[in-house]
Amino acid sequence: YIRVPLVLNFFASEDRVHKLASAKLRLILDSVLFEPGKHLPLNAQQVEPKVVPTTVPSLLGCAYGLLLNELYRSPECICSGVLSLVDSALALDTGSVCDDESSEFNSSVVIILYVIRLANRVLNYVHYVVARLKHYEKLVDTPVREHPPDNSAVQVLEDAQAKLSEKLCGPITLLL
């Protein structure tokens, strides 16, 4: 489960955000964040591995996908990484779409547009998790597969939701 925050925070630093000019690296970041990973079967929900490495690899999955799992269990890493990535992308703004005497976008435009799309996608996930955690009591009769919400996680997600929305509706909108 460490790969999602590790890869996200790798690209979130100001000295590495430039690497997202590469289409292959953008695809890698997208796949790490948004591919669901191994599914944890319902009958294995309460079963824990007894030895490391486990002899039952099916226990190394999660019920709803890696990004949702991270947002439920440790939202700080994901939220801070996405906010840092947005800040790093904003810092790339050169004030022009094309370099002098060029008909193609400069590389920072590609990075900025990619980060905007990524941030909006993550914001949708955060909206979902906040709604799910805030209305947990109403959903008890439905087959909920996660633990009851941690109030500190809800607060972290709400703060990140507000900050990310503010950046996307403020400086990002002005940039576009």
Side-chain angles (χ1 to χ4, degrees):
Y1 296 116
I2 194 169
R3 79 170 169 209
V4 175
L6 187 67
V7 172
L8 178 62
N9 285 303
F10 174 83
F11 288 111
S13 68
E14 285 185 28
D15 60 333
R16 294 194 188 113
V17 72
H18 297 284
K19 304 299 180 196
L20 291 174
S22 164
K24 287 183 180 182
L25 291 178
R26 291 193 304 267
L27 287 173
I28 288 172
L29 182 55
D30 277 345
S31 67
V32 166
L33 281 177
F34 301 112
E35 286 181 5
K38 287 186 177 182
H39 178 71
L40 183 66
L42 188 58
N43 62 356
Q45 182 66 29
Q46 301 300 326
V47 182
E48 296 176 359
K50 300 293 182 203
V51 294
V52 175
T54 184
T55 56
V56 187
S58 63
L59 295 178
L60 299 178
C62 52
Y64 299 116
L66 296 175
L67 181 57
L68 283 177
N69 188 65
E70 289 295 326
L71 289 173
Y72 273 112
R73 306 230 184 302
S74 58
E76 298 89 359
C77 293
I78 301 299
C79 295
S80 67
V82 172
L83 288 166
S84 294
L85 196 58
V86 169
D87 288 338
S88 296
L90 281 170
L92 294 177
D93 180 26
T94 61
S96 67
V97 175
C98 296
D99 294 328
D100 290 338
E101 301 178 15
S102 175
S103 61
E104 295 182 18
F105 289 139
N106 63 34
S107 62
S108 63
V109 171
V110 173
I111 296 167
I112 292 168
L113 292 175
Y114 169 75
V115 170
I116 292 170
R117 286 190 306 272
L118 181 134
N120 276 294
R121 290 173 73 187
V122 171
L123 183 60
N124 285 335
Y125 278 78
V126 171
H127 278 298
Y128 172 78
V129 174
V130 167
R132 181 97 177 163
L133 291 176
K134 287 179 86 171
H135 303 292
Y136 182 81
E137 292 79 24
K138 296 176 186 175
L139 301 170
V140 170
D141 293 335
T142 62
V144 178
R145 293 180 63 181
E146 65 271 355
H147 300 291
D150 176 11
N151 287 336
S152 64
V154 173
Q155 189 60 49
V156 167
L157 287 165
E158 285 180 328
D159 290 347
Q161 183 178 9
K163 288 177 186 174
L164 196 51
S165 293
E166 181 181 316
K167 286 181 188 288
L168 290 170
C169 293
I172 294 289
T173 302
L174 292 174
L175 178 69
L176 292 175

